[in-house]
Amino acid sequence: MTTARLIALDQILFVLVAAAWAATAGVALAGVRQPAAAGRRTRLIAAALCAAAIVMTALRVAVTLGLARAGWWFVAEKVTLALPLVVLPALVSAAVSLPRLLRVPSSGSGAPLPSSRLVAFPLLLTAYGAVAGVVCGVVVSYPVTGGGAAAVLALFAAASVVSWRLLGPVRAPGHRWQAAGTCVLALATALAVGGGWSGDHSHSDHDAGTQGISVDLLRGPAASAAGGPAGARSRVRRFTLTAQPATVRLASGAVGAWSFNGQVPGPVLRVRQGDLVEVVLRNRLPVVGGTAQAVTVHWHGYDVPSGEDGVPGVTQNAVAPGQIHVYRFRAEDAGTYWYHSHQNSSVAVPRGLFGLLVVDPAAPLPESEDHILALHTFGTRPTLSVDGAAPTDGLARLALPPGARTRLRVVNTDTRPVVLGLSGAPYRIAAVDGGDVPGATDLNGSRLHLAAGGRYDLTFTVPAGPVLLTAGDRPALLVNGPATPPAAAGPIVDITRYGAATAPPARFDQEVTWVLDKTLAMADGLPRLAQTVNGKAWPNIPTPVVRQGQTVRIRVVNRGTDTHPMHPHGHHVRILSRNGVPATGLPMDTFDVAPGEVWEVALVADNPGMWMSHCHDLAHAAQGMEFHLAYEGVTTPYVMGGGNHPA
Ligand code: C2O
Ligand code: CU
């Protein structure tokens, strides 16, 4: 069974185990309080429930052992906390309670029953332990923290003490009040200690150091500095992006959107390698109900100087309506990229504040046909835009000369991955996230998994017949219809194993582990179910600090049940392995870590700055899954809050 299945099974099992032990304890309690003969049937039912609970508990142990094979990150809190709390009392129940439930007093003998404490108490303990296991699954992630463990243990201990007293023979006046008092006290302790697990209120947004260079100084070259690589005088390419409302007309109806320059996607910024790109951002979005929708532009996957990265509260202040901001960077890396607002991005990007960026290499590409395709879902309506034209939720079409070498640059601007299929011609993945794939091989009918925010350049030679591109279940683009070839239905290419393998870095200066989960954590000052990294949510996730020139091995472990497209800004990371299987080493800027997966990637710290790192399922980022990667000695004058809300 896959790790993802085991994770899902475990989540079902821990609820079932708790329910089974609670039912056993409840029925047994009723059984021992009835007179001997009358309670016999009830006690036998309790015994049957107890047997079922024991079986389910054993199953949970087996599932945990299975999960442990994927790594300690997946089971730490189960092995150290959740399982002992249920397994130990379950053993006592099996040894003490079960035989007593099965002991049948001869009818009419009026033989006294065994002490109800002896029968019921172990069962109640087991039930509390099982429920504590459920609580543990919600409040404790990896690594197991003392505070979280203490909260779970305090609840368990309180319930146990109270039950012991209530089951006892002495019924002194005030007995119940004492018990209730114990309970309240323990609960308060649990909450107080649990507060500690939320931790780090002191953790500042920017903890990379107090002195050093400000991101504000890590900017692109001034326009006057235009002078390209190799001494050639490079062009300055100037663009203006104006954030403004727009209406997107789809076959299925009109959609109110936010746009750059009145179009969604925004204009295709197409420049040549070596150009100096200057973009003036203006905000003409309306002020709605007193709230001004601010914007920024982040160059997704383009490793610009940190000060040009467009993250409000980190590299600039969000640009309010009526204001402008100028971005400047040298287009050094050829390839397919995109740009989007990073202010309230979980709202702004789905609403349309994005566009495309293509940097053509200095030496021309072999393809004579070169088209850029943006996949974007408006609400529930998936669309495709060809070459920046208005998107369609129907079938887009392209007419291409047979024999022409063709490049389709596919950009996933959604917050979910998409499965692509190309049928009608053999094709290659010529580039991933902007970078060329060395040794790209022909694919025939295979399908591709494209992460949220990711890009694939697909190349093929136009055949005599038609070519079909599917996105999800949807035919998205037909080249040279009218006939439609059957959709690709082949296996999904493992992108981590595609292309020619390159040697991994020889050594690492630092190791970082990000364990992704969905846990109760402090977010916005309140405990809530959050998308967490190492048990914490933004802004409490510790910032990894690197030094320029270091090579960092990052291990990303997904303990949860959601897919997380991880996106470190300012750097492409090389994929080293997935689930222990060595990868070819392709550089990516957005990589999809599915539930139960463990990815290892290498990040070379070659772009000093204060960087954002987050899940590109932007709703997850808004629910806490974002943090910084900082360079030693780099500071920022900007602060989060106020008008700055990256996710
Ligand atoms: Cu495309 Cu921080 O994002
Ligand atoms: Cu995510």
Side-chain angles (χ1 to χ4, degrees), residues 130-425:
V131 171
V134 175
V135 175
C136 179
V138 179
V139 306
V140 183
S141 183
Y142 184 91
V144 180
T145 55
V152 171
L153 287 173
L155 283 172
F156 173 75
S160 306
V161 168
V162 170
S163 295
W164 178 257
R165 299 188 68 110
L166 289 181
L167 284 172
V170 192
R171 297 285 173 146
H175 175 80
R176 278 167 198 275
W177 290 112
Q178 261 180 34
T182 314
C183 204
V184 169
L185 201 67
L187 200 67
T189 315
L191 286 176
V193 181
W197 113 85
S198 60
D200 300 13
H201 303 280
S202 61
H203 180 93
S204 73
D205 284 356
H206 312 296
D207 58 354
T210 44
Q211 296 144 8
I213 183 169
S214 160
V215 277
D216 251 352
L217 297 172
L218 300 169
R219 302 292 305 264
S224 57
R233 191 161 173 79
S234 70
R235 304 183 294 173
V236 182
R237 299 291 311 275
R238 293 197 166 86
F239 302 94
T240 299
L241 295 176
T242 304
Q244 60 190 85
T247 302
V248 176
R249 292 182 201 291
L250 303 174
S252 56
V255 186
W258 291 339
S259 74
F260 287 116
N261 299 6
Q263 58 187 94
V264 183
V268 180
L269 309 186
R270 194 148 195 156
V271 301
R272 209 172 49 227
Q273 203 172 15
D275 284 351
L276 182 66
V277 182
E278 180 181 288
V279 177
V280 178
L281 168 67
R282 293 191 299 180
N283 187 354
R284 296 246 170 100
L285 285 170
V287 177
V288 189
T291 322
Q293 182 52 52
V295 293
T296 65
V297 178
H298 165 62
W299 311 98
H300 183 114
Y302 208 85
D303 301 334
V304 294
S306 189
E308 308 289 348
D309 199 41
V311 179
V314 182
T315 65
Q316 67 173 100
N317 282 321
V319 178
Q323 295 182 338
I324 66 163
H325 184 92
V326 181
Y327 298 92
R328 244 185 236 111
F329 59 93
R330 169 111 40 223
E332 269 150 3
D333 304 319
T336 307
Y337 306 91
W338 63 300
Y339 60 86
H340 60 79
S341 179
H342 220 297
Q343 169 78 351
N344 296 339
S345 58
S346 61
V347 175
V349 181
R351 282 198 110 177
L353 282 174
F354 69 92
L356 307 163
L357 169 67
V358 177
V359 180
D360 287 314
L365 288 169
E367 293 88 23
S368 57
E369 293 291 336
D370 189 329
H371 302 277
I372 182 156
L373 312 178
L375 294 160
H376 189 77
T377 302
F378 292 91
T380 54
R381 290 178 271 182
T383 69
L384 179 74
S385 152
V386 180
D387 296 322
T392 170
D393 52 350
L395 180 63
R397 289 165 198 275
L398 263 179
L400 302 175
R405 294 177 77 171
T406 300
R407 177 177 293 247
L408 298 181
R409 303 168 183 266
V410 188
V411 185
N412 183 3
T413 69
D414 277 330
T415 57
R416 295 287 153 84
V418 64
V419 173
L420 302 172
L422 191 84
S423 55

Side-chain angles (χ1 to χ4, degrees), residues 426-453:
Y427 69 100
R428 289 178 183 183
I429 310 169
V432 171
D433 287 355
D436 289 345
V437 176
T441 47
D442 272 342
L443 300 168
N444 236 314
S446 300
R447 290 174 302 152
L448 308 172
H449 175 105
L450 181 57

Side-chain angles (χ1 to χ4, degrees), residues 531 562-566 615-617 620 625:
Q531 297 284 356
D562 298 311
T563 290
H564 298 297
M566 297 311 286
C615 176
H616 220 281
D617 185 321
H620 293 179
M625 199 171 272

